[in-house]
Amino acid sequence: QVQLVESGGGLVQAGGSLRLSCATSGGTFSRYSMGWLRQAPGKERESVARITRSTTTAYADSVKGRFTISRDNAKNTVYLQMNSLKPEDTAVYYCAADDPVVGGRGYDYWGQGTQVTVSS
């Protein structure tokens, strides 16, 4: 059973920084593409950042230049460094894994989410 556990969320003032972590277990982390997604109240879930197993990255336009996704295969962990945070970044942030062995569209495994709140 693959498990993803996020940590690092919290309350921060606008302009501040947070680093989210997502530790995985029970699977083969190194073959997954990993993503961070978020969902704000009353809004649809959106992709924030993605990193492939070859460490190619992609970002939503709204976070480019402010957020950085990275991975440590030795620790089975993916990170999201968030700088210059804005109130509109407030959301529940989810970690997700795309396993090529499982196939299909979208992500196959999900974490429980961590709340990020940015005050103005």
Side-chain angles (χ1 to χ4, degrees):
Q1 184 76 8
V2 177
Q3 292 189 320
L4 285 66
V5 179
E6 301 100 333
S7 61
L11 174 64
V12 64
Q13 289 188 333
S17 297
L18 284 174
R19 188 174 85 152
L20 305 183
S21 299
C22 173
T24 70
S25 61
T28 308
F29 178 80
S30 60
R31 73 170 182 235
Y32 303 153
S33 290
M34 299 296 297
W36 287 97
L37 302 93
R38 68 186 180 187
Q39 188 166 21
K43 295 187 177 181
E44 293 188 354
R45 186 168 58 200
E46 63 174 349
S47 178
V48 175
R50 179 179 174 94
I51 185 167
T52 68
R53 58 183 180 179
S54 60
T55 68
T56 299
T57 58
Y59 297 92
D61 287 343
S62 58
V63 307
K64 281 180 181 177
R66 299 189 298 122
F67 290 11
T68 302
I69 189 171
S70 62
R71 65 190 297 159
D72 185 337
N73 287 349
K75 296 182 178 180
N76 295 337
T77 300
V78 63
Y79 305 97
L80 186 67
Q81 178 67 43
M82 305 186 294
N83 298 328
S84 303
L85 283 160
K86 305 175 180 180
E88 51 263 43
D89 295 318
T90 295
V92 177
Y93 283 71
Y94 297 91
C95 170
D98 180 2
D99 186 348
V101 171
V102 174
R105 298 181 62 184
Y107 292 99
D108 303 296
Y109 313 116
W110 291 83
Q112 82 287 352
T114 186
Q115 177 70 47
V116 171
T117 303
V118 184
S119 63
S120 58

